[in-house]
Amino acid sequence: MIVRFTLNGRPREVETEPHRTLLDVLRDTLGQLEAKEGCAEGACGACTVLLDGRPASSCLTLVPLVEGRRVTTVRGLERDGRLHPLQESFVAHGAVQCGFCTPGVLLTALWYVEKNPGADREQIRQALGGNLCRCTGYTKIVDAIEAWSRRATAEAGP
Ligand code: FES
Ligand code: FES
């Protein structure tokens, strides 16, 4: 079957068997290796993408379900070759160690904080409950998200 969708703002068309997951198609057909495969059963969050702007586990999403929809991976966050300010905050706060969890964490955090400006640390931690990180202990990740959230809120003004 043919599935058409938008990937990071670009229209894509793939020929695929209907039982394949979005994660398989992203990685093995389209070479989007930034979508990570961890558990492959919906438990770790490494494969998180935004589907029409909401986080989704691409390892649990059969590719026919993305027909006509918008898929965003972490590569879709850059603008004009520059990192998204949330990514810059991760770098500044040392929130990336091995980096395996980072694409999924960034996408979940972006979605959550944009919906919940001014979220506190505990709320940010809870929002990341489905994104496992085995390296950082989460403190630096929350530091980075909180700092970006405060700056974005201040720039948006009263
Ligand atoms: S690889 Fe999809 S949730 Fe773990
Ligand atoms: S930075 Fe290694 S799993 Fe999170």
Side-chain angles (χ1 to χ4, degrees), residues 134-148:
R134 64 192 168 185
C135 305
T136 65
Y138 298 95
T139 299
K140 290 182 176 181
I141 289 177
V142 177
D143 289 346
I145 296 168
E146 188 184 36
W148 164 70

Side-chain angles (χ1 to χ4, degrees), residues 4-83:
R4 297 178 186 83
F5 58 100
T6 303
L7 176 61
N8 297 331
R10 285 183 53 202
R12 304 302 292 255
E13 179 177 301
V14 290
E15 187 172 352
T16 178
E17 294 92 34
H19 63 268
R20 293 181 73 204
T21 65
L22 175 59
L23 180 61
D24 281 346
V25 168
L26 286 173
R27 290 181 61 86
D28 298 342
T29 303
L30 297 173
Q32 304 290 134
L33 301 181
E34 71 276 21
K36 302 298 183 194
E37 180 166 2
C39 64
E41 55 185 29
C44 75
C47 67
T48 302
V49 298
L50 298 182
L51 198 50
D52 291 337
R54 295 178 59 88
S57 296
S58 60
C59 72
L60 294 184
T61 304
L62 292 177
V63 72
L65 295 175
V66 306
E67 171 69 34
R69 300 177 74 182
R70 280 182 298 120
V71 177
T72 306
T73 70
V74 73
R75 276 197 210 182
L77 300 188
E78 73 160 50
R79 290 287 176 273
D80 302 323
R82 296 201 53 189
L83 294 178

